[in-house]
Amino acid sequence: KFSIVIAGGGSTYTPGIVMTLLNHLDRFPIRQLKFYDNDGERQKVIADACEVILREKAPEIKFVATTDPEEGFTDVDFVMAQIRVGKYALRDQDEKIPLKYGVIGQETCGPGGIAYGLRSIGGVLEIADYMEKYSPNAWMLNYSNPASIVAEATRRLRPNAKILNICDMPVGIQERMAKIVGLNYYNDLEVRYFGLNHFGWWTAVRDKQGNDLMPKIREYVAEHGYLLPDIPDESSWKATFGMAKNTFALDPERFPNTYLQYYLYTKFEAEHMDPHHTRTDEVREGREKFVFSECKKIAASQSIEGLKFKPDDHSNYIVDLSRAIAYNTHERMLVIVENNGAVANFEPTAMVEVPCIVGSNGPERLAMGDIPRFQKGLLEQQVAVEKLAVDAWEEHSYLKLWQALTLSHTVPDASVAKKILDDLIEANKGFWPEL
Ligand code: G6P
């Protein structure tokens, strides 16, 4: 049986992940579950409720919630890291500052993503170091954002750490593809995919028998994008999934990640964002409110009657990935790894998202061959942005960061980049290295 620490225990995603873990105890048995967060007050609300849920559903699991790294990271097999450095207050700024200048305001794309990256690198390295110190044999599954920049930083700065960088977005889209062809589970599909995190394309989609599912999916996506009638999406996600059809139109041979629309329909996307009410507001008004009030209710009543938290199917990949490591299942999954030839005609040191065979020794990348010029051009530009952002963090360099913002496909020119950068520096005081 395994011991897990969720780093970022105070996240509103935590109850859903706990429910998913509980749902899969037969496949992935747990003896101990810990929450670690550096914000004890926020974590306590989530932890008090999860303690009741665990007591009712799986009393054999030992539960600990702590702000002490030693207590949190000692005796664990897996670190599930989902930290948000700067919390929603700064996500709000990541989104709203660029929008002031008519530029996409998004937590992982463009200037907002770069800003968030500069905050997250230190936090993720800290977690990796706690793991190394207190449980050197553990594996860290890292889905903290922005995954691309964070992955580049861990590649450079902790090359030997056992970190698996992974993202739920391709999983979510594959779930939709599976439904389009009448299957259920993201891993009912066997795919070929290449790109960077939040910046990639599916080049093959087959079922487990090897049948090509591309024609059917292509027909659907051309008309609806990834919108499915039976899945209720919040308005911004609806727009996101619907917009995929326009991105797909640019290359109908491959299926795009939804985030590509920010780079390919930049003007349209920026114009359709409300600079005063962004995704952060939507999350605060929706998920934050719901999760915190439910948690308080459970803690007050000490009962899970009418429990509204559900296993989040979306997070099944966390269990699949943990099992792959724990039981050497050789599961085929999309992981963010150093390219090293997986995409033949692309920067060997880029952190690419590609299918890997995952076993007890980590991920083995599969060869995706050469990629076309259109995608290669876009990827070269984006990888340079991400590498410059990490350079800037390491070297405390204003210039590198200005170059990163200028190079981002979402930013019109160097003067706009500079204005945004100067505002971001103000907003991120105490979270960024001094430039
Ligand atoms: C997707 C992405 C994540 C991102 C999340 C934001 O799942 O893959 O990288 O963090 O969306 O979701 P939210 O509901 O917080 O806007």
Side-chain angles (χ1 to χ4, degrees):
K1 290 195 178 186
F2 303 102
S3 171
I4 294 168
V5 59
I6 297 183
S11 163
T12 44
Y13 285 114
T14 302
I17 290 175
V18 169
M19 296 299 290
T20 303
L21 292 173
L22 289 174
N23 211 24
H24 291 275
L25 286 177
D26 53 336
R27 302 170 61 221
F28 184 64
I30 298 172
R31 65 181 162 86
Q32 174 167 254
L33 181 61
K34 303 194 200 194
F35 289 0
Y36 168 81
D37 204 299
N38 60 8
D39 181 343
E41 215 176 298
R42 186 182 159 100
Q43 173 168 268
K44 188 170 187 309
V45 183
I46 308 279
D48 286 352
C50 289
E51 190 169 15
V52 178
I53 297 173
L54 285 162
R55 192 181 65 211
E56 295 296 319
K57 290 193 166 277
E60 71 282 7
I61 297 177
K62 186 173 174 225
F63 178 67
V64 177
T66 182
T67 55
D68 172 21
E70 182 168 359
E71 191 182 13
F73 290 83
T74 300
D75 179 31
V76 297
D77 304 299
F78 291 97
V79 176
M80 299 181 173
Q82 46 163 17
I83 61 169
R84 180 180 285 289
V85 180
K87 302 201 189 84
Y88 282 94
L90 280 170
R91 179 178 181 176
D92 190 56
Q93 295 296 300
D94 294 341
E95 292 169 354
K96 290 191 176 127
I97 290 173
L99 280 169
K100 253 174 50 185
Y101 302 96
V103 170
I104 300 271
Q106 216 284 327
E107 71 157 345
T108 63
C109 302
I114 296 170
Y116 189 13
L118 261 76
R119 291 199 303 278
S120 296
I121 293 172
V124 168
L125 295 182
E126 186 177 271
I127 302 283
D129 291 345
Y130 290 149
M131 178 175 91
E132 174 72 27
K133 182 162 177 200
Y134 298 115
S135 287
N137 294 320
W139 276 88
M140 174 167 165
L141 316 187
N142 181 47
Y143 33 96
S144 308
N145 264 326
S148 266
I149 292 177
V150 166
E152 170 63 13
T154 57
R155 179 191 74 82
R156 275 193 214 183
L157 302 165
R158 297 294 183 276
N160 300 317
K162 289 196 277 182
I163 303 178
L164 275 164
N165 289 296
I166 184 143
C167 175
D168 67 334
M169 200 62 216
V171 172
I173 297 172
Q174 272 176 231
E175 248 164 31
R176 283 164 189 266
M177 290 180 184
K179 295 218 164 76
I180 290 168
V181 295
L183 296 169
N184 272 319
Y185 193 50
Y186 80 101
N187 252 0
D188 290 337
L189 308 179
E190 199 167 276
V191 305
R192 289 172 66 81
Y193 182 95
F194 69 85
L196 308 166
N197 177 243
H198 286 182
F199 206 105
W201 289 263
W202 283 265
T203 56
V205 183
R206 301 188 189 98
D207 64 17
K208 291 282 178 175
Q209 289 71 45
N211 299 308
D212 183 6
L213 303 174
M214 294 283 273
K216 200 162 173 197
I217 301 174
R218 213 179 267 139
E219 212 174 288
Y220 190 93
V221 175
E223 198 173 336
H224 309 284
Y226 301 123
L227 269 183
L228 296 179
D230 51 336
I231 300 187
D233 289 312
E234 289 166 292
S235 64
S236 54
W237 279 110
K238 224 184 187 128
T240 300
F241 288 121
M243 190 63 189
K245 92 172 168 206
N246 302 57
T247 324
F248 175 62
L250 263 158
D251 181 356
E253 289 303 308
R254 296 163 187 82
F255 298 122
N257 191 298
T258 41
Y259 284 83
L260 285 162
Q261 60 213 38
Y262 297 117
Y263 302 95
L264 298 174
Y265 291 95
T266 314
K267 191 161 172 281
F268 175 89
E269 290 289 338
E271 281 168 6
H272 285 79
M273 286 177 166
D274 178 348
H276 307 294
H277 193 269
T278 58
R279 178 67 191 154
T280 306
D281 299 293
E282 217 176 71
V283 172
R284 277 172 161 166
E285 290 153 13
R287 189 172 67 230
E288 285 269 309
K289 262 211 184 120
F290 164 72
V291 171
F292 278 95
S293 74
E294 273 308 297
C295 281
K296 284 180 187 152
K297 225 189 289 169
I298 294 167
S301 64
Q302 289 290 300
S303 146
I304 58 164
E305 228 187 275
L307 182 66
K308 292 205 182 112
F309 295 132
K310 301 215 162 25
D312 175 8
D313 282 345
H314 222 94
S315 46
N316 284 343
Y317 75 98
I318 297 172
V319 175
D320 294 336
L321 190 62
S322 308
R323 274 176 50 81
I325 299 278
Y327 301 120
N328 203 23
T329 64
H330 293 144
E331 181 91 8
R332 180 170 169 154
M333 303 190 71
L334 297 191
V335 187
I336 305 163
V337 289
E338 186 166 29
N339 183 22
N340 214 358
V343 181
N345 55 344
F346 188 54
E347 167 90 45
T349 68
M351 288 302 277
V352 292
E353 198 164 61
V354 287
C356 294
I357 302 297
V358 187
S360 299
N361 294 310
E364 291 278 352
R365 52 183 83 56
L366 296 176
M368 293 295 110
D370 283 339
I371 57 173
R373 191 176 302 280
F374 175 61
Q375 277 82 4
K376 185 164 185 282
L378 288 163
L379 284 167
E380 298 280 6
Q381 181 178 23
Q382 181 62 14
V383 81
V385 172
E386 291 162 4
K387 284 186 178 287
L388 282 165
V390 179
D391 290 345
W393 188 88
E394 274 193 275
E395 299 163 21
H396 296 211
S397 166
Y398 181 95
L399 196 61
K400 291 271 174 79
L401 204 51
W402 185 20
Q403 291 173 352
L405 264 85
T406 303
L407 199 55
S408 171
H409 204 77
T410 61
V411 177
D413 71 11
S415 70
V416 176
K418 192 167 199 312
K419 286 185 193 143
I420 297 175
L421 176 56
D422 290 339
D423 285 9
L424 286 173
I425 290 175
E426 267 306 298
N428 284 282
K429 278 216 168 102
F431 288 95
W432 279 9
E434 289 264 351
L435 301 180

